[in-house]
Amino acid sequence: MFSQGYVRVMEIDLHEGRCRIHKREDLLENIGGSGLAAALYGEYGQPGEDAFAPEQPLIIAIGPLTGLFPLMSKAVLGFKSPYSGHYAETHAGGRLALAMRYANLDALVIKGEASHPVCLLLGEREFAVREGRHLWGMDTTMTARIIRSSEERGRGRRSILRIGPAGENLVKYACINVDTFRHFGRLGAGAVMGKKKLKAITILGEGSFSLPHGDYKKVYKKIYRKITTSGAMKKYHDLGTPVNILILNGLKALPTRNLSSTSFTGADSISGEYFAEKLLLRQIACSSCPVGCIHIGLLREKFAPEHEYYYRQVSYDHEPIFAMGSMLGVSLGEKVISLIDEAEKHGLDVISAGVALAWATEAYQKGLIGEKETLVPLAFGEAGSYRQALACLSGRVNDFYRLLGEGTLAAAARYGGSEFACTLGQEMAGYATGPAFFVSQAMGFRCSHLDTAGYQLDQEFDPCSVERALSYLLKEEKQRFILTSMVACLFARNIYTTEMLSEALEAAGLPHLALELETRAAALVKRRWQVKKSTGFDPLKVTIPPRFYQVETIRGKVNGEFIDALLKAYAGAIAAL
Amino acid sequence: MPKILRAIAMERCIGCYSCMLGCARLVHNSLSLIRSGIHVRSLGGLTAGFEARYCLACRPAFCALACPTGAFVQREGGGVCYRERLCIRCGHCARACPVNVILVDEETGFPVVCLQCGSCVNFCPHGCLAMVDAPSKEQPGTAGTAGEPDIKQR
């Protein structure tokens, strides 16, 4: 535990079926989360080996404030992505971070490959490799049901991670489902778990620890009050992230029909407002977050001619809605939620799967591929076909879907159509806001809008120089790195200001870290880029596909020269580190 | 009039665990989820909603009846006062609890018990919990019928 002067790492070898605990004082300098995961990859990773090599580690790290303060609710997974071949991060909430804290596991390093499908059961006083063959092939929902019913311990204080068939089949954007409604998404962490034949991980958060001395209780109450009374977090609970659908549509920045457009005529009936009125069942929260941004919608479908219905609960957010909605031309919330549910069960990353199918639809329209490849006729707006296509993608049923499961560009290399591939390091996130977003997603560790705040800079509508844009991206990247090293939810970025973080770190018994935070973060940001570069990433070789240069936002057509100049400047800055 | 804890609107629960985290820290001085007088958990997967398991403030308090040392004493209105210095860690209290909410700490052997202090209520962001008037001796069984509180401003 960080505040007790060391980082407790559980190193798991799936080949041997054993674990080893390391108490490491020297790792404290890496802060935690993003910083710690990169340091551990530097130590345990095999940067020159294939992402699927047995010894490649999956590293999950929490931070020095996890479990100590509200909204310090995320865990960071660092790994070599089978999609990009580079070091990558993915973050998840749910019950995981607190379960790890109370299991006294600051970081997990999972390496090796099991000889047959297995599950892990971890806790403060527990390590077991359990049978997984009976779960192999099962969807993410059924897998968790069986695990829950076969293990009573830790109810309410445990976290269950699992993969679906997509991960088992090594789809390169298979995700890891965390506690049903959250994910280690994007870039294929689920496929790495599948390669290791690791179907599921259960973590029991049953331990208890003494409180830090001094002002801890006072600061805890102060931060809790600030979060629950300031009003700053209201929007995340109210409509949640899907509030962005209409905002982005109004700015002509909502990726639509494979980004052939940036506004969607069907936006109203896939909007956050529509979901809240028609489909919202309730909101739930990650452990220790009093906000509750996880929106659960109702999927109700008829399964027989009489009045026979089944219903399921599906979490929705802006990005799954964009990916299964506007990007595929699907204009009804009910259909969108059914597609999200389908992708979830298979354990596919919803965003990547939607964007890949959007490309496939345009390729189909243009005659580059036909029904021989797609098996179902793909057409924008046809949710039924997409539902079947998602199953084909997860099952990798033929050459076409096998290639599409490697990524849009892999399929385009074979069939043509790279000029309309919407990839920026991986399939695009749901923000066609302009150059700063395009450049930042293409470079980052999560290859999403989250590494730095390009999408915000684009939306400020303040024409700025390349120099200013670059300094904005670098500053924001560092600030976000600090937060994701704690590990805070980024929705709390306006609560956890530099001053508030200092106060929290002092109260947690880490006054030195509070003092050195800025300087240490600067060094660690550099180190994290070096780790990515060690896996073969060359920022100077990053390109942005032609489709992005044709984007028109409310400000008019994007400035291609500005994209190129900012890409060059950002790549240069990273290359120099 | 003495107050007792009631989970009056668990349908509103978002599962944030702030009540448990608050109780463990501020009442039981523990950085944990487990050393709490109240336990929230899903009803079998997060799709099923949440339940709160907590001290029902029994009168008579069966834990106090079972306690052989006087560490547990019946509290006016229901529930108990607990004095650790009198406790010999026999665990009879936990076995006597009809709703299984007294946890015996595996490390220390001492029970973790709800003191009906209401700290958890102050940490609930959704008005799921409330301190309500204890039922009078003449009218038992009316606890928990207090009007629903407003959801606090977020």
Side-chain angles (χ1 to χ4, degrees):
Chain A
M1 190 148 164
F2 301 83
S3 54
Q4 288 170 358
Y6 58 85
V7 176
R8 192 169 180 273
V9 180
M10 182 184 262
E11 179 190 348
I12 297 167
D13 187 329
L14 290 169
H15 178 69
E16 298 285 336
R18 301 204 175 274
C19 77
R20 197 174 284 268
I21 294 289
H22 305 282
K23 284 187 176 181
R24 298 272 304 269
E25 286 170 37
D26 61 308
L27 286 174
L28 281 175
E29 64 178 37
N30 302 296
I31 308 179
S34 291
L36 179 58
L40 287 168
Y41 190 84
E43 193 173 321
Y44 289 96
Q46 313 285 318
E49 297 292 318
D50 189 83
F52 283 140
E55 288 309 300
Q56 290 288 6
L58 280 173
I59 295 159
I60 307 179
I62 56 173
L65 299 181
T66 304
L68 280 154
F69 293 101
L71 276 141
M72 291 292 170
S73 49
K74 297 267 189 164
V76 174
L77 192 156
F79 67 116
K80 184 168 183 173
S81 161
Y83 184 102
S84 65
H86 304 141
Y87 176 73
E89 277 183 16
T90 169
H91 302 190
R95 302 272 173 255
L96 175 61
L98 264 70
M100 282 179 69
R101 158 56 58 244
Y102 301 128
N104 201 11
L105 298 169
D106 299 323
L108 294 174
V109 176
I110 304 169
K111 50 181 211 173
E113 208 174 286
S115 59
H116 64 266
V118 297
C119 300
L120 283 172
L121 178 66
L122 312 176
E124 195 197 12
R125 299 185 194 174
E126 180 61 281
F127 174 84
V129 181
R130 294 199 162 168
E131 188 53 69
R133 281 174 283 203
H134 61 304
L135 301 171
W136 207 248
M138 266 183 206
D139 70 34
T140 54
T141 306
M142 189 54 74
T143 302
R145 264 185 210 152
I146 293 176
I147 290 173
R148 279 195 295 270
S149 62
S150 59
E151 176 60 63
E152 256 303 301
R153 279 183 294 168
R155 277 188 61 191
R157 296 179 290 269
R158 64 188 175 188
S159 179
I160 302 176
L161 284 59
R162 64 274 194 180
I163 57 168
E168 298 171 12
N169 295 332
L170 311 185
V171 175
K172 289 191 174 172
Y173 37 84
C175 66
I176 301 173
N177 181 302
V178 177
D179 301 320
T180 308
F181 297 130
R182 301 288 92 180
H183 313 83
F184 282 124
R186 326 252 28 218
L187 288 169
V192 178
M193 238 173 107
K195 188 70 178 56
K196 292 184 175 306
K197 300 202 177 63
L198 179 55
K199 180 68 177 174
I201 309 171
T202 303
I203 301 174
L204 310 171
E206 305 268 76
S208 51
F209 306 89
S210 50
L211 293 183
H213 299 298
D215 279 345
Y216 171 72
K217 286 186 185 180
K218 207 175 92 194
V219 177
Y220 181 81
K221 280 194 272 192
K222 176 178 159 180
I223 293 176
Y224 186 87
R225 293 286 161 243
K226 191 171 173 197
I227 289 167
T228 49
T229 58
S230 74
M233 310 297 288
K234 191 171 178 290
K235 62 180 175 180
Y236 297 114
H237 180 74
D238 183 11
L239 293 179
T241 56
V243 71
N244 285 326
I245 294 282
L246 289 186
I247 294 173
L248 292 175
N249 198 49
L251 300 173
K252 293 187 76 182
L254 181 66
T256 301
R257 288 187 295 274
N258 199 39
L259 199 57
S260 60
S261 172
T262 49
S263 60
F264 184 42
T265 47
D268 281 339
S269 47
I270 62 163
S271 64
E273 290 79 354
Y274 182 91
F275 271 81
E277 287 288 324
K278 304 269 189 185
L279 300 171
L280 177 62
L281 285 169
R282 62 203 171 104
Q283 293 99 320
I284 61 172
C286 298
S287 300
S288 89
C289 169
V291 177
C293 78
I294 305 171
H295 286 62
I296 310 297
L298 171 67
L299 165 67
R300 178 175 178 262
E301 283 181 344
K302 204 166 182 191
F303 65 86
E306 300 79 31
H307 290 91
E308 300 268 25
Y309 294 92
Y310 63 77
Y311 73 96
R312 277 202 286 276
Q313 300 178 40
V314 184
S315 78
Y316 63 83
D317 265 297
H318 165 67
E319 297 214 65
I321 295 175
F322 122 79
M324 293 291 148
S326 59
M327 197 64 172
L328 293 176
V330 174
S331 57
L332 191 64
E334 284 82 350
K335 290 183 178 174
V336 170
I337 213 165
S338 118
L339 291 174
I340 295 174
D341 180 59
E342 186 71 16
E344 288 274 23
K345 282 192 298 184
H346 291 287
L348 282 166
D349 182 85
V350 182
I351 306 169
S352 300
V355 175
L357 287 177
W359 170 85
T361 308
E362 189 165 338
Y364 187 94
Q365 279 182 342
K366 292 193 154 95
L368 299 176
I369 51 174
E371 211 166 321
K372 182 169 151 281
E373 282 79 26
T374 60
L375 305 178
V376 286
L378 296 181
F380 288 119
E382 289 301 320
S385 298
Y386 288 130
R387 197 160 167 171
Q388 293 177 59
L390 285 166
C392 295
L393 192 53
S394 165
R396 310 193 83 171
V397 295
N398 63 9
D399 279 348
F400 170 72
Y401 284 107
R402 210 167 357 260
L403 275 171
L404 197 59
E406 305 278 306
T408 301
L409 286 177
R414 164 86 171 272
Y415 300 100
S418 60
E419 68 279 8
F420 53 85
C422 297
T423 56
L424 297 161
Q426 66 178 332
E427 283 66 20
M428 77 177 298
Y431 300 81
T433 51
F437 161 68
F438 301 154
V439 171
S440 63
Q441 173 172 341
M443 287 289 169
F445 291 84
R446 301 165 78 179
C447 289
S448 75
H449 64 297
L450 294 161
D451 287 302
T452 180
Y455 64 107
Q456 274 177 12
L457 182 65
D458 288 329
Q459 287 178 67
E460 281 173 16
F461 288 122
D462 179 18
C464 70
S465 64
V466 169
E467 292 71 30
R468 218 201 103 211
L470 176 65
S471 93
Y472 181 96
L473 292 183
L474 293 173
K475 185 171 162 238
E476 192 69 28
E477 181 194 320
K478 185 176 152 199
Q479 206 52 39
R480 288 175 176 233
F481 175 86
I482 290 174
L483 290 166
T484 62
S485 293
M486 290 302 159
V487 179
C489 172
L490 287 177
F491 290 167
R493 60 188 180 270
N494 296 324
I495 302 282
Y496 285 108
T497 57
T498 308
E499 297 73 38
M500 189 60 96
L501 280 176
S502 289
E503 206 175 331
L505 285 167
E506 271 180 43
L510 295 161
H512 297 301
L513 183 53
L515 285 174
E516 297 167 13
L517 194 54
E518 292 286 330
T519 45
R520 216 182 277 186
L524 292 173
V525 164
K526 184 174 164 179
R527 243 269 295 286
R528 185 170 65 154
W529 281 116
Q530 287 168 345
V531 169
K532 183 162 173 171
K533 287 190 270 184
S534 77
T535 55
F537 173 70
D538 181 353
L540 301 171
K541 287 193 179 148
V542 171
T543 56
I544 294 188
R547 178 57 54 93
F548 292 98
Y549 290 82
Q550 292 152 18
V551 162
E552 263 192 72
T553 70
I554 204 165
R555 277 200 286 187
K557 197 163 173 201
V558 294
N559 179 345
E561 285 169 17
F562 189 85
I563 297 178
D564 292 338
L566 184 58
L567 182 65
K568 195 174 161 196
Y570 196 24
I574 294 165
L577 291 171
Chain B
M1 184 173 276
K3 303 271 188 189
I4 59 170
L5 175 65
R6 279 292 179 263
I8 54 165
M10 284 304 287
E11 342 40 277
R12 295 175 178 182
C13 178
I14 59 171
C16 68
Y17 293 177
S18 298
C19 54
M20 293 153 73
L21 292 163
C23 178
R25 278 153 186 70
L26 303 179
V27 182
H28 298 286
N29 292 307
S30 172
L31 195 63
S32 70
L33 276 169
I34 203 161
R35 285 190 194 174
S36 166
I38 178 167
H39 298 276
V40 172
R41 63 185 197 184
S42 77
L43 287 157
L46 293 177
T47 54
F50 297 97
E51 64 172 353
R53 301 173 67 235
Y54 60 100
C55 171
L56 296 179
C58 309
R59 198 169 58 186
F62 305 107
C63 51
L65 294 177
C67 177
T69 67
F72 280 68
V73 179
Q74 175 78 53
R75 174 181 168 275
E76 190 193 347
V80 290
C81 301
Y82 169 67
R83 285 170 293 183
E84 191 174 280
R85 67 187 165 81
L86 297 179
C87 177
I88 58 166
R89 302 184 284 177
C90 63
H92 290 325
C93 52
R95 288 188 289 275
C97 176
V99 286
N100 278 323
V101 293
I102 299 179
L103 174 137
V104 175
D105 193 294
E106 276 186 32
E107 282 160 38
T108 64
F110 287 112
V112 179
V113 62
C114 170
L115 305 175
Q116 300 291 340
C117 71
S119 282
C120 54
V121 177
N122 294 327
F123 279 95
C124 177
H126 271 251
C128 308
L129 309 174
M131 293 303 282
V132 304
D133 291 341
S136 66
K137 277 185 183 160
E138 296 72 38
Q139 288 179 293
T142 56
T145 55
E148 295 204 340
D150 293 332
I151 289 190
K152 287 182 192 125
Q153 197 197 339
R154 304 176 52 78

